[in-house]
Amino acid sequence: MKLNENFKNLKESYLFSSIAAKVAAFSREHPEKKILKMGIGDVTLPLAPAVVNAMRAAAEELGNKQTFRGYGPERGYDFLRERIAAHYRELGVSLDTDEIFVSDGAKSDLGNFLDLFDRENTVLVPDPVYPVYADTNVMAGRKIVYANACAENGFLPMPDESVDADIIYICSPNNPTGAAYSAEQLAEWVRYAKRKNAVIFYDAAYEAFVSESGLARSIYLAEGVRECAVEFCSFSKTAGFTGVRCGYTVVPKELVCGGLSLNAMWLRRQTTKFNGVSYIVQRGAEAAYSEEGKKQIAKNIAAYRENAGEICRALDRLGVFYTGGKNSPYIWLKCPGFSDSWAFFDYLLENAGVVGTPGCGFGANGSGFFRLTAFADQKTVREAMERFAALFG
Ligand code: MLT
């Protein structure tokens, strides 16, 4: 018996598990201290009533002999995939429903999609970015090269012809920096991917937060993209499904490599290793696209945007450098007075009881940076920024 020794090359625990463990230890030592959590990007507002009603009705259906259902269709129910396709049409993108695969979330699919690729491929990952992209490839033993995101390029790295890659990760709006690409910039990545015969993994989990015109909410807005990009998205940050679990992946039929269709391969992989998302959850996701559901969800997103504005205004008053907040629920700030993000994390926790995410957890370029999330109660955000101002004002 031989284990996958690539695991030795991973950090001991996943970023957000390490933070949770540190905060739990601090709370045990200081039970009297009120902790304000703005670390992991987990939603705090309840599900939209339209979603709850649809899930309740679906549960009733399953409890009735006439309307009971067992296994669902492999790619997800038509009723949901048709709604997702309609959502893309509103963005200006035309998709066939059999290019859409419903899943239990973007994180699982981002990791699982790698099953389709050889271990010898080189992956290009932005730095900083969501740690799942690098970690899943470290587990597989793939070579990783990084695209540097920094203040000088607006945290939006563009292709470097001298770098060769087979799989290219793009997260826009970016987690953690909040920087978002335009369709023209994405088209440049598409041209680069085609020259390199590479595939783009595009993570659109935060697309609902794009508020500035001219920024893309899908990579499929870029020209010539259907032969080279897969898009991952989720209801987590849009409809508050972090605990409910539902997402989807788009695999265009033109994506063919060495005679193999990625759409067919992904279907084969999913039908073998995955039995789909529950009917109740898919009905809830469908309701997120109803007129009522859309209005209720827009209200929640507006509340998170308001929180982001509150954080930005507090940092403006303090003269702290930051990005994000406009097209993203995340605010990416330069640690005031600290060059080590974990030291800043400890200082902020111990002296203000505020939890954020150390920038270095998203990559080497995140050193000296820190992420705050707007996914929190308004009261928490206000109090946290008051405590922040008292420390750094
Ligand atoms: C984050 O805080 O970056 C996200 O919540 C992580 C995730 O979506 O898995």
Side-chain angles (χ1 to χ4, degrees), residues 14-16 39-43 106-107 130-132 175-176 203 205-206 234 236-237 242 245 330 357 362 371 373 375:
Y14 180 55
L15 174 64
F16 296 105
I40 187 161
D42 194 3
V43 290
K107 183 186 193 172
Y130 187 35
V132 166
N175 174 11
D203 184 349
Y206 299 96
S234 158
S236 285
K237 316 292 156 125
T242 53
R245 307 307 310 150
Y330 299 128
T357 308
F362 298 96
R371 192 193 78 176
T373 172
F375 288 127

Side-chain angles (χ1 to χ4, degrees), residues 148-168:
N148 285 320
C150 51
E152 289 67 40
N153 60 19
F155 293 96
L156 291 171
M158 294 308 291
D160 173 350
E161 214 50 56
S162 68
V163 174
D164 286 325
D166 306 299
I167 299 171
I168 301 159

Side-chain angles (χ1 to χ4, degrees), residues 142-203:
R142 275 191 201 90
K143 181 180 167 200
I144 304 176
V145 289
Y146 292 95
N148 285 320
C150 51
E152 289 67 40
N153 60 19
F155 293 96
L156 291 171
M158 294 308 291
D160 173 350
E161 214 50 56
S162 68
V163 174
D164 286 325
D166 306 299
I167 299 171
I168 301 159
Y169 286 85
I170 298 177
C171 179
S172 180
N174 177 277
N175 174 11
T177 67
Y181 287 106
S182 67
E184 293 71 36
Q185 288 171 315
L186 291 174
E188 212 170 301
W189 275 107
V190 166
R191 288 190 289 273
Y192 166 80
K194 286 185 161 173
R195 283 194 296 275
K196 301 286 176 187
N197 192 26
V199 61
I200 296 174
F201 283 22
Y202 187 82
D203 184 349

Side-chain angles (χ1 to χ4, degrees), residues 227-306:
E227 298 89 31
C228 72
V230 178
E231 182 160 304
F232 302 87
C233 202
S234 158
F235 294 91
S236 285
K237 316 292 156 125
T238 310
F241 273 41
T242 53
V244 176
R245 307 307 310 150
C246 195
Y248 55 87
T249 291
V250 178
V251 192
K253 283 179 268 187
E254 287 90 329
L255 247 174
V256 177
C257 188
L260 289 171
S261 151
L262 269 77
N263 182 297
M265 285 171 79
W266 183 236
L267 179 64
R268 186 69 177 84
R269 189 265 175 215
Q270 290 296 80
T271 48
T272 307
K273 293 195 183 180
F274 183 61
N275 255 338
V277 178
S278 92
Y279 174 68
I280 299 171
V281 167
Q282 292 195 55
R283 279 293 185 200
E286 178 197 25
Y289 291 118
S290 65
E291 283 314 309
E292 214 189 350
K294 277 200 234 175
K295 273 191 217 140
Q296 292 162 351
I297 284 164
K299 242 172 110 181
N300 286 2
I301 291 180
Y304 294 132
R305 279 212 179 104
E306 183 43 43

Side-chain angles (χ1 to χ4, degrees), residues 320-335:
V320 172
F321 172 84
Y322 69 90
T323 63
K326 256 197 195 130
N327 302 294
S328 149
Y330 299 128
I331 290 85
W332 179 247
L333 58 112
K334 197 141 180 54
C335 302

